[in-house]
């Protein structure tokens, strides 16, 4: 039996893929690798224009020690933790309950309420900048971590509800009907039947929201100022002004700021991939 044209092209496509993928991976990682190398170089290397060569000495402890002990970087990191973790908990909790209501119950306004959640995702944040800032000033929440948490929860709940509602609708409805026949209350159905099945989706959504909020720069600059409440993304700007032209210290600070979401992804990688692919074959 002779091979088909598609089978003839398969080895060539596989070889091309194997050649292009490493090149694409190197091109994607090259800026991160460059910043990592810069972070362990001494300041003299930049004075001597040794930008792309190997470090003349590895000043890892000195550079990162200055970042942690001679700057406000630890405070910015703590601010990011106090902003990101409550936001993830609040947005995921609210969206899980809203997704359950919109995915399980059938009522006339269901699609319109769901549309309201989804429509908010299509409004550019730049349009909301002035009214949101004025609202935080009127409520006394400007330049506070609490204000940033509340508005992050409000903005992220729409996307999270879309994610949760679609996931819940893919679950077998017979489980919920069987629980209702047994006389179990709706709250217990949500807590004991639906919520355990949502663990992969909760994990995947938590990783996504954690990354979004940790890396947010726009609202961090608009709604906060100063090391008392600014997260690390906005704090890097002040960090750069403190260590002006000290590229080795700025690179070390950038690496420190990027590590938590990377660590979060690798710790939750198994659950993250399972949550994203669970409904792919249904």
């Amino acid at each position: 039996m002779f091979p088909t044209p598609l089978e003839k092209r398969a080895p060539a496509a596989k070889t091309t893929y194997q050649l292009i993928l490493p090149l694409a991976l190197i091109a994607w990682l090259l800026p991160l690798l460059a910043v990592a190398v810069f972070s362990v170089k001494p300041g003299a290397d930049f004075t001597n224009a040794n930008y792309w060569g190997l470090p003349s000495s590895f000043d890892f402890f000195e550079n990162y020690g200055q970042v942690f002990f001679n700057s406000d970087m630890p405070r910015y990191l703590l601010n990011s933790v106090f902003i990101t973790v409550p936001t993830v908990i609040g947005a995921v909790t609210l969206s899980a309950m809203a997704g359950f209501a919109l995915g399980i119950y059938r009522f006339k306004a269901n699609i319109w309420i769901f549309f309201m959640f989804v429509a908010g995702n299509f409004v550019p944040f730049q349009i909301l900048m002035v009214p949101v800032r004025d609202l935080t000033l009127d409520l006394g929440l400007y330049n506070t971590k609490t204000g940033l948490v509340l508005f992050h929860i409000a903005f992220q709940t729409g996307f999270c509800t879309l994610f949760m509602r679609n996931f819940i609708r893919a679950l077998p409805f017979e489980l919920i009907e069987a629980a209702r026949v047994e006389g179990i209350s709706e709250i217990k159905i949500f807590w004991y039947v639906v919520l355990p099945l949502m663990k992969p989706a909760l994990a995947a959504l938590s990783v996504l929201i954690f990354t979004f909020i940790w890396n947010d720069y726009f609202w961090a600059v608009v709604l906060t100022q100063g090391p008392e409440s600014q997260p690390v993304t906005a704090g890097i700007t002040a960090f750069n002004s403190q260590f002006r032209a000290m590229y080795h210290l700025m690179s070390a600070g950038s690496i420190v700021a990027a590590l938590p979401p990377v660590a979060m992804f690798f710790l939750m990688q198994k659950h993250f991939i399972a949550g994203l692919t669970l409904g792919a074959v249904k």
Side-chain angles (χ1 to χ4, degrees):
M1 182 177 180
F2 296 102
T4 63
L6 183 60
E7 292 174 339
K8 292 180 180 179
R9 291 196 299 269
K14 183 178 180 181
T15 303
T16 304
Y17 173 79
Q18 292 175 342
L19 291 175
I20 293 178
L21 183 61
L23 296 177
L25 182 62
I26 292 172
W28 183 71
L29 291 177
L30 190 59
L32 181 61
L33 295 175
V35 173
V37 173
F38 287 173
S39 69
V40 299
K41 283 187 175 184
D45 280 8
F46 296 93
T47 305
N48 299 327
N50 182 19
Y51 302 123
W52 305 107
L54 293 175
S56 59
S57 64
F58 287 89
D59 291 354
F60 175 86
F61 294 103
E62 180 180 351
N63 293 347
Y64 284 88
Q66 289 196 53
V67 167
F68 277 103
F69 299 111
N70 295 332
S71 72
D72 290 321
M73 180 59 70
R75 180 179 293 184
Y76 290 127
L77 288 172
L78 284 177
N79 290 343
S80 288
V81 172
F82 293 147
I83 291 170
T84 305
V85 173
T87 299
V88 172
I89 295 173
V92 171
T93 302
L94 289 175
S95 64
M97 293 186 291
F100 175 78
L102 295 174
I104 298 300
Y105 301 129
R106 301 292 187 266
F107 52 95
K108 291 183 178 180
N110 185 304
I111 190 64
W112 294 107
I113 296 176
F114 177 64
F115 176 76
M116 291 176 62
F117 278 103
V118 175
N121 297 319
F122 298 98
V123 179
F125 286 162
Q126 292 80 359
I127 296 177
L128 302 174
M129 178 177 65
V130 174
V132 166
R133 184 180 181 276
D134 291 342
L135 182 59
T136 56
L137 289 170
D138 294 338
L139 296 176
L141 296 175
Y142 180 74
N143 197 30
T144 64
K145 293 187 286 290
T146 302
L148 200 54
V149 168
L150 292 176
F151 280 97
H152 274 315
I153 291 176
F155 292 139
Q156 296 298 328
T157 299
F159 167 75
C160 295
T161 301
L162 168 66
F163 188 95
M164 288 296 187
R165 182 253 191 187
N166 291 340
F167 184 88
I168 291 173
R169 285 179 70 90
L171 298 177
F173 191 72
E174 291 77 9
L175 292 176
I176 298 171
E177 289 182 328
R180 287 174 176 171
V181 170
E182 296 294 331
I184 300 175
S185 65
E186 296 298 318
I187 295 178
K188 290 185 177 180
I189 290 175
F190 171 73
W191 187 260
Y192 293 108
V193 178
V194 176
L195 202 59
L197 298 175
M198 292 170 58
K199 287 181 179 179
L202 294 173
L205 191 59
S206 298
V207 173
L208 286 175
I209 300 304
F210 184 94
T211 305
F212 293 162
I213 302 305
W214 187 277
N215 293 330
D216 173 71
Y217 178 76
F218 180 79
W219 290 116
V221 174
V222 172
L223 301 180
T224 59
Q225 57 181 357
E228 293 79 14
S229 55
Q230 278 191 330
V232 68
T233 48
I236 287 290
T237 304
F239 184 81
N240 290 346
S241 63
Q242 179 182 356
F243 296 107
R244 187 174 302 169
M246 296 185 180
Y247 300 108
H248 56 305
L249 299 183
M250 290 189 288
S251 299
S254 300
I255 292 293
V256 170
L259 284 178
V262 174
M264 176 72 171
F265 174 78
F266 281 107
L267 288 174
M268 303 290 290
Q269 182 179 11
K270 178 181 177 181
H271 303 288
F272 178 76
I273 295 175
L276 293 182
T277 60
L278 188 62
V281 296
K282 292 184 178 181

